């Protein structure tokens, strides 16, 4: 296979992945500096968001350093009553909510643990994105069927599956922490272990693609040695 | 591999070089070299036909089965 040109999808994908990878690497570097600095100085004005819902470092709103954690909420009746007059419904119910809880940072083990989690999550993302980058590069170069690509796809597949398990565990513990320390009027914080079956299936699909790459490598080798 | 390709003997006998043969049958020297050094996994009938035509031999003269 010949190398793909500038306008090809694989070329554009490589460019996009490079941009994403270097951006996240930059954010990770800044986060590491901030976390280390926080051990020695009083941080103000920085929002850190652990996994999920986002990996952002956002500008402060009120000069208070805040942290955002994922939470699950149950709604106490009658707070959760929902009505839709146009549909003739006046006894609907909001039962469960998933969202995020933002509160001012207090230096201590909780903030440090979340900062470390965030850095690990970004590092893990960089590793997965790096594997994908390497695969797309070989596709761009016209040599996709290599044993190394099959290994990379397998790593990505298992990474997605294990990543989803870790996210579910982290969300459970973050929600448990919130449950123990916070109270919200009309709402009840709950801790749930929610595993996304869709994400697990995605990982499995990538594992199947890894097997396709393995078979393709064998065929490519045979083809190259066919005179 | 149990199947041996006797290309070197035939080239010597017909007084042909690998490059000349490759040019005549239209495959690269690299591929012909793969065949000559018994590293090939498979050979196309079209290639076998071209080799037999240029070397004026039968497939059995070119390919030999050896017990390993």
């Amino acid at each position: 296979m010949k190398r793909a040109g500038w306008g090809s999808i694989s070329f554009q994908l490589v460019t996009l992945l490079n941009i994403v990878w270097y951006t996240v690497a930059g954010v990770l570097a800044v986060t590491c500096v901030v976390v280390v600095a926080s051990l020695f100085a009083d941080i103000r004005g920085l929002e850190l968001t652990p996994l999920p819902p986002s990996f952002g470092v956002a500008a402060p709103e009120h000069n208070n350093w805040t942290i955002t954690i994922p939470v699950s909420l149950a709604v106490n009746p009658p707070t959760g009553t929902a009505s839709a007059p146009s549909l003739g419904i006046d006894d609907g119910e909001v039962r469960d909510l998933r969202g995020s809880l933002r509160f001012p940072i207090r230096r201590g083990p909780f903030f440090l643990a979340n900062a470390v989690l965030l850095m690990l999550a970004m590092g893990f993302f960089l590793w997965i994105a790096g594997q994908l980058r390497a695969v797309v590069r070989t596709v761009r170069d016209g040599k996709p069927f290599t044993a190394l690509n099959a290994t990379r796809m397998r790593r990505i597949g298992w990474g997605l599956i294990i990543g989803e398990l870790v996210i579910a565990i982290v969300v459970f513990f973050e929600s448990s922490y919130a449950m123990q320390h916070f109270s919200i009027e009309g709402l009840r914080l709950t801790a749930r272990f929610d595993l996304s079956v869709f994400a697990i299936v995605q990982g499995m699909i990538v594992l199947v693609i890894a097997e396709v790459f393995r078979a393709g490598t064998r065929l490519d080798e045979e083809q190259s040695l066919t005179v | 591999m149990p199947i041996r390709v006797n290309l070197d003997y035939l080239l010597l006998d017909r007084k042909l070089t690998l490059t000349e043969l490759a040019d005549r049958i239209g495959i690269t020297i690299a591929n012909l070299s793969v065949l000559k050094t018994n590293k090939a996994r498979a050979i196309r009938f079209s290639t076998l036909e071209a080799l037999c035509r240029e070397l004026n031999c039968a497939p059995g003269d070119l390919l030999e089965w050896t017990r390993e």
Side-chain angles (χ1 to χ4, degrees):
Chain A
M1 278 171 70
K2 61 176 189 178
R3 189 186 160 103
W6 290 81
S8 67
I9 288 176
S10 52
F11 202 97
Q12 290 164 14
L13 264 174
V14 168
T15 309
L16 182 67
L17 282 167
N18 282 340
I19 292 169
V20 166
W21 196 93
Y22 284 109
T23 305
V24 173
V27 168
L28 175 59
V30 167
T31 307
C32 289
V33 167
V34 166
V35 168
V36 169
S38 73
L39 296 173
F40 305 103
D42 199 17
I43 306 173
R44 293 200 179 274
L46 181 69
E47 180 178 345
L48 289 173
T49 308
L51 259 183
S54 66
F55 298 102
V57 172
E61 281 184 339
H62 303 291
N63 276 340
N64 286 324
W65 295 90
T66 58
I67 185 168
T68 308
I69 62 172
V71 290
S72 299
L73 302 146
V75 184
N76 299 328
T79 308
T81 306
S83 62
S86 59
L87 301 172
I89 298 168
D90 57 5
D91 56 353
E93 239 180 271
V94 176
R95 302 192 107 196
D96 300 313
L97 299 166
R98 275 181 197 81
S100 46
L101 176 68
R102 191 168 70 174
F103 53 92
I105 286 174
R106 295 285 178 266
R107 283 174 77 186
F110 182 74
F111 161 68
L112 204 59
N114 276 281
V116 167
L117 263 176
L118 178 63
M119 291 189 296
L120 285 173
M122 283 197 278
F124 186 68
F125 174 81
L126 283 176
W127 180 70
I128 293 280
Q131 299 295 305
L132 191 59
R133 234 165 44 131
V135 170
V136 178
R137 262 199 228 115
T138 60
V139 173
R140 179 200 62 187
D141 295 341
K143 290 172 187 155
F145 293 113
T146 62
L148 208 47
N149 271 357
T151 306
R152 286 175 185 140
M153 293 307 289
R154 222 172 287 129
R155 284 178 191 157
I156 292 171
W158 282 114
L160 288 174
I161 292 170
I162 291 167
E164 177 56 30
L165 287 168
V166 170
I167 286 172
I169 292 167
V170 166
V171 169
F172 177 78
F173 280 110
E174 300 277 9
S175 301
S176 301
Y177 178 86
M179 226 172 75
Q180 282 169 29
H181 296 95
F182 288 89
S183 59
I184 306 169
E185 209 175 304
L187 298 169
R188 195 174 69 250
L189 287 157
T190 59
R192 266 197 295 255
F193 186 78
D194 280 329
L195 204 58
S196 167
V197 176
F198 181 65
I200 303 286
V201 168
Q202 275 181 323
M204 285 177 171
I205 289 171
V206 174
L207 287 175
V208 168
I209 292 171
E211 292 309 302
V212 171
F213 266 91
R214 203 157 67 100
T217 301
R218 190 175 44 80
L219 289 169
D220 193 54
E221 262 173 26
E222 259 186 47
Q223 166 66 19
S224 68
L225 292 173
T226 296
V227 177
Chain B
M1 199 176 178
I3 302 286
R4 245 179 72 116
V5 179
N6 295 321
L7 195 55
D8 37 4
Y9 298 125
L10 285 165
L11 281 171
L12 200 65
D13 194 57
R14 307 299 193 262
K15 294 185 177 58
L16 274 175
T17 63
L18 203 68
T19 314
E20 284 167 349
L21 184 60
D23 285 339
R24 286 190 195 186
I25 64 175
I27 69 171
T28 63
I29 297 169
N31 273 352
L32 205 52
S33 182
V34 161
L35 191 63
K36 182 167 162 286
T37 53
N38 289 296
K39 288 193 174 65
R41 290 266 185 95
I43 183 169
R44 295 188 184 91
F45 279 131
S46 56
T47 307
L48 186 59
E49 184 213 322
L51 280 168
C52 290
R53 187 185 65 236
E54 294 303 324
L55 293 171
N56 195 27
C57 65
D61 299 328
L62 193 59
L63 304 171
E64 180 192 342
W65 181 80
T66 57
R67 191 181 298 275
E68 274 190 351

